[in-house]
DNA sequence: ATAATTAAGGATAAATTTGTCCTGAATTAT
DNA sequence: ATAATTCAGGACAAATTTATCCTTAATTAT
């Protein structure tokens, strides 16, 4: 559904939302270990999240790392998708037409539209905080570790 | 949602279903023009559809080209996805976990599951014939041409 | 048989995505 | 100030996807 980059962005943000505060910042090493992702690549992605939408913050130096504010924790998942340039995904035609639209629909459109609306609704109502809380509660996961 | 290859596969198959019969085969030139796709690349994809699932047939030589039987026209869209190796897509986790499953779900899973089921239902109930018929009726499109 | 036409198949190229590595800048502790 | 730590940024490399081209094989018409 999304690119690897976006998948890492989602998982990393959830982890930071879970553990990273202004006085408990998390290093890229810990993050990439926790979400099971390549460290350097993940670092790049976090830079994008910081710059594009300021979803996360960071400071260099000892005890430096990444964290989030209460405000950005309340952002919907869609904010991450926007920062990662995946907005297009939600406007993509199943058959690959230039745009998924009512004006020039493909033969899948009428049925797909209904599903697409639910996807958008999901990404706009679920907040980063929700996902972090669910993960904290321990019944869901953000990595592939066996234990 | 799908790769370019799969998008072309879907559009090409719809077009062949619309126009290609055993005594009116369609050449790759006409197909790629009709669906607005790179001819050589499309040819590769049609080979895959022919080999993997026998969704389409072809013959070389003058008046050769591609066509479909009544039987394969009645196949669901999912058959094309299978032939293109996109089965994985319908089993992919939104957050990129190894597998989208009940046993090790991500925090998006409980809500996404419901949407995914609708997607699968759509791909399993819509047949190639349906899509071809809709396109014939003229209110939907399988290319980006302005007219 | 020969020539013409069209798909099949393989090699290769271009573009994009994914991933690594190294140097520099910021911050902190000593 | 100096050294240690950690992010920032850029260059580069690997892998994958997308796309082209050329030769061969199959089929048809003459
Ligand atoms: S136009 Fe194709 S899915 Fe909407
Ligand atoms: S496990 Fe992530 S979407 Fe199902």
């Amino acid at each position: 559904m999304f690119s690897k980059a976006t998948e890492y962005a989602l998982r990393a943000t959830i982890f930071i939302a879970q553990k990273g505060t202004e006085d408990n910042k998390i290093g890229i090493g810990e993050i990439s270990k926790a979400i099971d992702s390549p460290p350097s690549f993940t670092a790049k992605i976090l830079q994008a999240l910081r710059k594009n939408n300021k979803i996360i913050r960071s400071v260099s130096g000892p005890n430096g790392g990444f964290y989030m504010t209460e405000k950005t924790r309340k952002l919907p998942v869609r904010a991450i998708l926007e920062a990662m340039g995946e907005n297009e995904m939600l406007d993509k035609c199943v058959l690959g037409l230039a745009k998924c639209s009512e004006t020039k629909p493909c033969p899948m459109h009428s049925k797909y539209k209904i599903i697409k609306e639910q996807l958008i609704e999901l990404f706009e109502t679920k907040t980063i905080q929700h996902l972090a809380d669910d993960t904290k509660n321990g019944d869901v996961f953000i990595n592939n570790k066996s234990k």
Side-chain angles (χ1 to χ4, degrees), chain A:
Chain A
M1 164 160 275
F2 298 119
S3 65
K4 286 278 174 199
T6 299
E7 291 172 355
Y8 297 150
L10 289 165
R11 305 219 298 273
T13 306
I14 293 167
F15 185 69
I16 295 168
Q18 236 188 103
K19 297 220 178 164
T21 60
E22 181 145 19
D23 34 57
N24 182 33
K25 310 186 197 75
I26 317 179
I28 189 66
E30 189 180 346
I31 293 168
S32 62
K33 202 162 285 178
I35 68 168
D36 211 10
S37 71
S40 298
F41 192 38
T42 309
K44 283 278 153 63
I45 292 159
L46 293 185
Q47 282 175 45
L49 292 177
R50 183 177 58 83
K51 281 185 168 179
N52 299 0
N53 281 28
K54 294 174 180 169
I55 290 170
I56 60 173
R57 296 190 178 176
S58 67
V59 280
S60 295
N63 300 313
F66 298 86
Y67 67 101
M68 290 180 78
T69 62
E70 284 311 307
K71 204 168 182 177
T72 56
R73 274 193 178 80
K74 293 200 181 100
L75 287 172
V77 172
R78 177 143 201 186
I80 300 173
L81 302 181
E82 272 165 15
M84 296 302 294
E86 293 267 17
N87 249 332
E88 179 217 17
M89 191 270 144
L90 300 168
D91 229 33
K92 244 191 117 185
C93 165
V94 175
L95 299 194
L97 299 190
K99 206 175 170 311
C100 172
S101 74
E102 221 63 51
T103 52
K104 195 163 192 291
C106 76
M108 290 294 287
H109 183 79
S110 69
K111 295 266 183 184
Y112 176 66
K113 172 177 68 174
I114 296 153
I115 298 173
K116 184 173 78 164
E117 277 160 8
Q118 292 174 63
L119 274 176
I120 292 172
E121 158 94 5
L122 173 56
F123 294 137
E124 284 181 351
T125 55
K126 270 270 180 193
T127 68
I128 297 166
Q129 183 75 66
H130 290 146
L131 300 177
D133 287 348
D134 291 353
T135 310
K136 242 178 207 162
N137 292 344
D139 41 0
V140 299
F141 307 85
I142 53 173
N143 66 48
N144 292 308
K145 302 213 167 56
S146 45
K147 199 186 88 88

